[in-house]
Amino acid sequence: PSTIFAPDWAGPVKIERMRAFGAQVIVLKDETAIIIEKFMGHAARTGALAVHPFDDSLVVCGQGTGGLEIERQLPDLDTLLVSVGGGGLIAGITAWFQGRIKIVAVETEGTASLQNAFSDTPDLEISPSGIAASALGGTRLGVLPREILDRLRPHSVIVPDQAVFDAQVRLWDGVRIVAEPGAACALAALTSGAYRPDKGENVGVLVCGGNAQPGWFLG
């Protein structure tokens, strides 16, 4: 049994999939920080195992095993593009590679928590918005991801929503992959020109996230 605290902007597809797996999903209209407080309070009261979505060492390590798999399959990779929300995935991937390849963090204009974390106002929370907010809508980087990324500092780019939409369509037209906006965000850095590889640079794109509603972007 599991109880999941989710923001109301998480999206109906994601919420219904969690319920279909048998979870009790508590949907809240509060700010992310308050939702996290309620989730932690529930865990403390009930003795349940608390699993933070991105600011947990085991979660970050688990997501980092994606880097292990990628390196085994693509040993000649020079660069890997990764979408960013709360920072758990890119922190794990970056920690795995430890500078052996270039990691490029990709965010949308409405979900730029990483760029905000390393701006002149790092303590301000963003208000996630736009096409990828349901997946990449962290109001700020987690404490642990920020510590890792502050030390290893991946390259960072931002893409507009239209570029993400275009990347979704390209994924479908080219390889018949239905990707949610958060998953297509990393590809959008290439297809929009926000990241331009050098000649001969071997580039990988991590397409991560399975909560797309099939066909919604094809109309």
Side-chain angles (χ1 to χ4, degrees):
S2 61
T3 302
I4 298 174
F5 289 73
D8 60 347
W9 43 262
V13 172
K14 192 170 295 186
I15 290 169
E16 290 308 312
R17 288 197 73 206
M18 290 187 288
R19 286 176 173 153
F21 280 113
Q24 177 189 2
V25 183
I26 299 173
V27 181
L28 301 169
K29 294 184 178 181
D30 300 303
E31 296 178 358
T32 302
I34 296 175
I35 295 174
I36 294 295
E37 287 180 9
K38 291 182 176 179
F39 139 72
M40 295 299 293
H42 173 82
R45 287 192 306 273
T46 63
L49 172 66
V51 182
H52 193 287
F54 52 82
D55 202 5
D56 180 282
S57 60
L58 294 179
V59 171
V60 171
C61 286
Q63 292 176 320
T65 63
L68 165 64
E69 294 181 46
I70 289 168
E71 189 167 38
R72 284 178 173 172
Q73 295 175 31
L74 301 168
D76 296 326
L77 196 66
D78 298 312
T79 302
L80 180 65
L81 282 71
V82 184
S83 302
V84 181
L89 175 62
I90 194 165
I93 295 287
T94 302
W96 169 259
F97 281 104
Q98 291 288 319
R100 291 192 297 277
I101 67 171
K102 180 195 292 184
I103 305 296
V104 179
V106 187
E107 303 175 283
T108 65
E109 293 170 342
T111 61
S113 57
L114 185 146
Q115 286 219 359
N116 181 70
F118 298 112
S119 69
D120 294 333
T121 56
D123 295 326
L124 293 180
E125 293 191 348
I126 66 169
S127 297
S129 63
I131 192 171
S134 67
L136 307 181
T139 57
R140 65 196 308 169
L141 289 183
V143 175
L144 177 59
R146 182 173 174 178
E147 290 176 357
I148 294 170
L149 298 171
D150 188 39
R151 179 168 52 88
L152 296 171
R153 287 295 178 103
H155 188 77
S156 176
V157 299
I158 292 180
V159 296
D161 281 357
Q162 185 60 49
V164 176
F165 182 90
D166 293 343
Q168 287 180 279
V169 175
R170 282 176 181 248
L171 278 170
W172 174 251
D173 286 345
V175 291
R176 286 302 190 258
I177 291 177
V178 178
E180 65 173 296
C185 181
L187 178 62
L190 283 178
T191 55
S192 70
Y195 181 77
R196 296 182 181 276
D198 294 330
K199 183 177 181 180
E201 182 178 351
N202 293 321
V203 179
V205 178
L206 180 56
V207 179
C208 178
N211 293 292
Q213 183 173 344
W216 75 265
F217 57 89
L218 300 178

